[in-house]
Amino acid sequence: MLSVERLVKRYPTGDAALRGVDLEVPAGQVMALIGPSGAGKSTLLRCVNRLVEPTAGRVRLEGEDLTALGAAALRRARRRMGMIFQEFALVERLSVMENVLSGRLGYVGFWRSWFRRFPPADVEEAFRLLDRVELAESCDKRADALSGGQRQRVGIARALLQNPRILLVDEPTASLDPKTSRQIMRLICELCRERGLAAIINMHDVALARLFVERVVGLRQGAIVYDGPPDGLTPEVLTTIYGAEDWSEARRRGGADEEEEEEPEVDEQRLAGLT
Amino acid sequence: MPVREVAGVRDWQRRARGRRLLGWLGWLGGTAVVVASWQAISAHTMWTFVWDAPVQGADLASRMFPPRWAYTARLWRPLWDTLNIATLGTLAALVPAVPVAFLAARNTTPSATLIRPAALLVIVSSRSINSLIWALLLVSVIGPGVLAGIVAIALRSIGFVAKLLYEAIEEIDRAPVEAVTATGAGRGQVVSYGIVPQVLPAFAGISVFRWDINIRESTVLGLVGAGGIGLELQASVNVLAWPQVTMIFLLVLATVIVSEWVSARVRHAII
Amino acid sequence: MTGAAAAARRWAPPPLIASAWLRRGLALGAAIYLALALGTLRVNWRRVWEGLDRGGAFVVGFARPDFVSRWVEISEGILEGLVMTVTATAVGILISVPIGLGAARNLAPLPVYLACRGIVAASRTLQEVIVAIFFVAMFGFGPLAGVLTLSFATVGFLAKLLAEDIEDTDPAPAEAVRATGASWLQLLNYGIQPQVMPRLIGLSLYRLDINFRESAVIGIVGAGGIGATLNTAFDRYEYATAAAILMTIIAIVMTAEYGSGLIRRRVQ
């Protein structure tokens, strides 16, 4: 459904962030994009909806070449791609409802959105989504009055209100505590399943990725170095992606029971290794 | 290098010699300019008047008191005009200042090579020229009166408000703007959802701050004929009616203090 | 959206002021004030209409500024304005630093603090032009009255901002310097000065810019500078000359702003 072909991004400073990436995401597939900081994960995501303009290569969404679109057509195409951000990227001084409704901006005209007169069907759908993410009570609170997890749920509702075909998710849990991180990841994956959405999720946390996704793509210095199931992430593979390090913790946590937050044996093992 | 080795002992100095020399030259040049300026002023000064100043000052003070309280009755109308000049002038400035600020901010200007410099020129021209000089111009063009004062205050305030506002626009958090763009929003929608909510408190604060300054400035616009309490001040100074000047002075002081209090309260409430 | 009409929940953005009474009261008050203000505005529209021609002449003057016919007055006035600016800023800084130190609550004892804050408040509430009128009355016409006016205004501006800056400094380094047994002056030199110096330089440059702009104004009441020439030019409807003066002022302010931007970047 989404296909990225030989995508290259070079910044004006000369740094090559992406060096010819090829990626195919079938409909309904939730995949994780992992890699060290600066590997180009964020750039790849932003090249898909052209928040960052790619230098060369193509991005096709449901057959349409996004890289060739003019400004108006690009805006229409962006409606089909919901984006969820690392630091939530909510407009902090607007209410929760206004933030969620901003997901409809691609569908309504300027004056309608200026006077906050969204079509009743949009408002109804926004309420339904807020019910789904359990925030309907807070709809008139200001976004900066919410906790981190709540803000990210607003961000998710905003992206879904676009009625997208695919979600582009940029480090959704980087600013959250471990428990909330899992809840948010679970919510995103459930929603993708309910609505048959594909998703590309940028992640730092390999263990968390193993719990939730069916496919992992590893990026290193702007090139794909791994593409396969999470089980294939052997220490050797992780070393190719991130460089040499002790991977036992990441692997063990990934294989452990989903509900367990603590892994005492790992700590013992590490302490033992130190002596 | 600030550290030198002399006969095996390391000697530390704060700056290297070249930089130290440059520093001294800078100070020397600065002092020379100030001294030369002072001499130029001294040459244009009638020193006999200056030595006489304490006497003059004491004389002035003795004439100024007591203030002529009854004169107040004639001051209410000019004071009302003064308030209107400041308030209407500020309001009139806000309307053009907002678009100018958006055209001047690096992250919202449609063209950084053509439109941004033009907007900056508008801002610097408006800011360089004091409202009293604008008033001088307007009195000469559209005649003396309150309207000249309002327009003068407005012309001066455009640059002030636009400058502070465009700096606020350039300092916004970019993440929400990116997020709103990603929904497929148009340019105007990105501005109204991503940027406006972020700069609205700054805009309100700047407006009230400028209104406070404008109250102060509008009290003297009458000196050049642009209406308000300054007209009475001019008339009283011209006929050396110092007790009246004191009275005007007290009233202006009270107004300024009240306006500062109001502005501080409003700004506090916004933030 | 199935059956949206029946189940539709309404939503309207929450108003800025929650209390409906206060909201309507404020709106009504603002409306009444505006009506009164505009209603009592006395404007001679015929005079305004006639003046538009002169406005046109002024705009044309900007296209063809006349530097020549009053070159002597312009050059002397601008030079005098610059000289006044430099002197007043230097004097102002010299006086502001001790007063700013005195007006910082974390350095000065209460009586000193109150006295210095009083001076700052007096300087800030008095409009420059009013101060200039008094100084002209005391010291006679000429640039000295202007220098005194601008110095006085500089003190109110710089001392206040310096004091606030000192109050905002990180107390830890000052404490560490005090712990070494340093004297009060050494404490200032090592604990406070490095923290406030870049901003003090920036503010002084900014004040230099303001003082130049103000110097053009106080000449109108006889305190030296270009103001008097400008006043005459407008009185005689010599718009080309007035435009030349204004363009010179704008150019100098732009240069000063550019230069101070460069210096500020160096000292950061």
Side-chain angles (χ1 to χ4, degrees):
Chain A
M1 185 201 51
L2 179 80
S3 72
V4 174
E5 299 158 23
R6 287 189 298 284
L7 197 70
V8 174
K9 174 64 190 175
R10 216 170 287 112
Y11 283 106
T13 48
D15 305 325
L18 298 174
R19 315 161 185 261
V21 172
D22 287 290
L23 186 66
E24 193 76 37
V25 185
Q29 184 186 67
V30 177
M31 57 153 284
L33 194 59
I34 63 169
S37 307
K41 305 191 296 288
S42 219
T43 307
L44 177 54
L45 222 52
R46 282 170 171 72
C47 279
V48 170
N49 63 3
R50 278 175 63 191
L51 286 177
V52 168
E53 210 56 55
T55 314
R58 296 202 180 290
V59 178
R60 280 182 217 280
L61 179 67
E62 295 174 318
E64 186 181 25
D65 183 359
L66 300 182
T67 43
L69 296 178
L74 175 62
R75 284 205 297 274
R76 278 195 298 279
R78 276 179 180 157
R79 302 191 303 206
R80 288 181 283 150
M81 299 177 281
M83 194 159 185
I84 296 170
F85 295 81
Q86 175 179 355
E87 306 269 1
F88 325 126
L90 300 181
V91 185
E92 303 218 322
R93 298 187 59 91
L94 292 184
S95 69
V96 167
M97 191 53 151
E98 282 168 304
N99 269 294
V100 174
L101 282 172
S102 70
R104 291 308 282 186
L105 287 177
Y107 294 87
V108 301
F110 174 77
W111 291 112
R112 251 200 132 125
S113 63
W114 176 259
F115 289 110
R116 311 295 196 255
R117 293 247 183 267
F118 287 85
D122 289 0
V123 175
E124 177 56 28
E125 178 65 12
F127 270 118
R128 243 193 307 247
L129 277 166
L130 281 173
D131 284 336
R132 178 66 183 81
V133 301
E134 293 162 23
L135 278 172
E137 303 294 303
S138 313
C139 84
D140 278 339
K141 273 195 196 152
R142 249 167 61 164
D144 54 6
L146 303 183
S147 70
Q150 290 173 321
R151 286 189 209 195
Q152 193 55 294
R153 300 211 300 265
V154 175
I156 293 169
R158 170 175 67 187
L160 289 175
L161 194 65
Q162 283 176 233
N163 199 12
R165 305 298 307 132
I166 184 168
L167 287 181
L168 307 172
V169 191
D170 190 14
E171 309 253 0
T173 61
S175 321
L176 301 173
D177 64 65
K179 183 160 182 245
T180 319
S181 295
R182 287 186 175 210
Q183 290 169 343
I184 290 291
M185 278 302 292
R186 193 172 299 128
L187 181 64
I188 292 175
C189 295
E190 278 172 15
L191 285 164
C192 284
R193 222 168 298 132
E194 282 168 22
R195 296 164 170 251
L197 299 182
I200 305 178
I201 309 179
N202 275 358
M203 303 198 69
H204 259 314
D205 191 337
V206 178
L208 200 59
R210 287 165 169 281
L211 287 178
F212 290 103
V213 302
E214 46 202 284
R215 175 184 173 197
V216 173
V217 168
L219 207 59
R220 176 173 194 175
Q221 292 180 349
I224 291 180
V225 290
Y226 175 80
D227 188 348
D231 293 336
L233 289 173
T234 58
E236 296 72 45
V237 170
L238 287 171
T239 303
T240 16
I241 300 173
Y242 287 98
E245 186 48 66
D246 177 11
W247 297 110
S248 51
E249 189 192 10
R251 283 180 54 72
R252 273 175 156 271
R253 259 191 49 194
D257 179 14
E258 199 181 309
E259 293 310 316
E260 248 177 66
E261 302 287 346
E262 300 279 332
E263 289 287 335
E265 323 93 87
V266 172
D267 288 335
E268 275 166 29
Q269 198 186 358
R270 284 184 119 202
L271 287 173
L274 283 172
T275 49
Chain B
M1 285 291 281
V3 181
R4 294 183 303 172
E5 234 175 272
V6 181
V9 180
R10 271 181 296 174
D11 181 23
W12 176 83
Q13 264 153 351
R14 192 163 170 207
R15 295 196 171 89
R17 181 180 294 175
R19 290 218 47 181
R20 216 165 60 219
L21 219 63
L22 213 68
W24 281 114
L25 276 179
W27 276 105
L28 196 72
T31 317
V33 168
V34 172
V35 169
S37 302
W38 173 250
Q39 274 172 341
I41 286 163
S42 165
H44 281 94
T45 304
M46 305 281 277
W47 285 99
T48 42
F49 281 161
V50 177
W51 305 134
D52 202 27
V55 183
Q56 290 290 330
D59 185 41
L60 200 61
S62 72
R63 283 163 199 247
M64 285 177 74
F65 287 95
R68 187 173 297 163
W69 299 103
Y71 184 54
T72 326
R74 276 178 52 198
L75 292 179
W76 295 122
R77 174 67 210 227
L79 189 65
W80 167 249
D81 282 343
T82 299
L83 284 176
N84 290 341
I85 291 172
T87 312
L88 297 178
T90 312
L91 289 177
L94 297 183
V95 179
V98 171
V100 169
F102 275 95
L103 295 180
R106 248 186 222 101
N107 47 353
T108 53
T109 184
S111 151
T113 46
L114 280 174
I115 296 175
R116 182 162 191 265
L120 290 180
L121 184 69
V122 169
I123 291 174
V124 78
S125 307
S126 157
R127 268 161 41 77
S128 305
I129 298 171
N130 193 291
S131 50
L132 202 63
I133 296 178
W134 280 118
L136 213 56
L137 163 67
L138 286 156
V139 167
S140 160
V141 170
I142 62 176
V146 178
L147 186 67
I150 293 173
V151 179
I153 287 288
L155 285 175
R156 168 68 182 90
S157 306
I158 290 173
F160 181 93
V161 175
K163 178 175 200 277
L164 293 180
L165 185 59
Y166 97 71
E167 285 171 355
I169 295 173
E170 286 184 349
E171 279 168 18
I172 56 163
D173 181 5
R174 284 204 55 244
V177 179
E178 200 179 28
V180 174
T181 314
T183 66
R187 229 190 145 80
Q189 288 172 324
V190 172
V191 171
S192 74
Y193 274 73
I195 298 177
V196 169
Q198 291 196 57
V199 296
L200 212 53
F203 176 65
I206 295 163
S207 309
V208 176
F209 182 37
R210 186 64 219 183
W211 173 78
D212 179 20
I213 298 175
N214 281 344
I215 292 274
R216 222 170 290 219
E217 302 216 324
S218 60
T219 57
V220 294
L221 290 182
L223 291 177
V224 297
I229 202 160
L231 283 172
E232 296 293 326
L233 181 64
Q234 175 78 327
S236 301
V237 169
N238 276 348
V239 298
L240 303 176
W242 294 106
Q244 295 187 13
V245 173
T246 317
M247 199 54 241
I248 293 169
F249 204 64
L250 289 174
L251 210 57
V252 166
L253 211 62
T255 316
V256 167
I257 289 168
V258 170
S259 80
E260 190 155 324
W261 179 79
V262 170
S263 131
R265 280 297 299 268
V266 172
R267 269 185 287 166
H268 191 76
I270 295 166
I271 300 161
Chain C
M1 312 295 128
T2 48
R9 280 170 280 186
R10 304 278 297 263
W11 172 83
L16 194 63
I17 300 164
S19 150
W21 279 105
L22 186 62
R23 196 163 68 234
R24 284 185 202 132
L26 282 176
L28 190 70
I32 290 175
Y33 168 76
L34 267 185
L36 275 180
L38 293 172
T40 54
L41 204 64
R42 276 181 295 204
V43 180
N44 184 348
W45 289 108
R46 182 192 278 172
R47 174 68 182 78
V48 173
W49 178 248
E50 285 167 2
L52 290 182
D53 288 346
R54 267 186 240 131
F58 179 72
V59 174
V60 172
F62 252 99
R64 273 177 291 142
D66 176 7
F67 289 91
V68 184
S69 34
R70 299 208 174 267
W71 173 245
V72 180
E73 285 97 328
I74 295 177
S75 57
E76 278 180 359
I78 291 282
L79 193 65
E80 192 173 63
L82 285 172
V83 160
M84 282 161 58
T85 307
V86 170
T87 318
T89 311
V91 174
I93 293 171
L94 287 181
I95 303 174
S96 310
V97 169
I99 292 188
L101 290 174
R105 192 67 201 95
N106 53 348
L107 286 181
L110 192 64
V112 178
Y113 169 78
L114 289 177
C116 291
R117 284 280 165 175
I119 296 171
V120 168
S123 158
R124 285 172 54 78
T125 34
L126 298 179
Q127 227 279 338
E128 275 97 337
V129 177
I130 294 181
V131 178
I133 291 175
F134 279 95
F135 279 136
V136 168
M138 278 173 70
F139 296 92
F141 290 99
L144 184 69
V147 168
L148 292 173
T149 307
L150 294 179
S151 306
F152 184 64
T154 305
V155 169
F157 177 87
L158 271 186
K160 174 171 190 274
L161 295 174
L162 178 63
E164 281 170 3
D165 216 26
I166 293 174
E167 284 171 355
D168 284 344
T169 51
D170 182 1
E175 203 173 21
V177 172
R178 200 177 286 146
T180 65
S183 72
W184 192 74
L185 283 176
Q186 286 169 326
L187 169 72
L188 287 188
N189 187 215
Y190 277 74
I192 306 286
Q193 194 193 340
Q195 293 194 56
V196 299
M197 207 54 190
R199 212 168 117 79
L200 180 62
I201 292 173
L203 288 173
S204 303
L205 290 168
Y206 181 41
R207 187 64 216 188
L208 193 75
D209 182 9
I210 299 179
N211 278 347
F212 178 71
R213 281 184 264 159
E214 291 292 330
S215 80
V217 173
I218 53 181
I220 296 172
V221 294
I226 191 72
T229 316
L230 195 57
N231 201 356
T232 321
F234 278 124
D235 275 351
R236 296 183 188 160
Y237 304 115
E238 292 171 353
Y239 290 127
T241 303
I245 297 172
L246 292 184
M247 284 167 81
T248 315
I249 295 176
I250 294 174
I252 291 176
V253 170
M254 275 175 92
T255 317
E257 225 161 72
Y258 182 72
S260 74
L262 284 185
I263 297 177
R264 253 179 280 188
R265 237 165 286 148
R266 288 283 304 267
V267 297
Q268 282 296 304

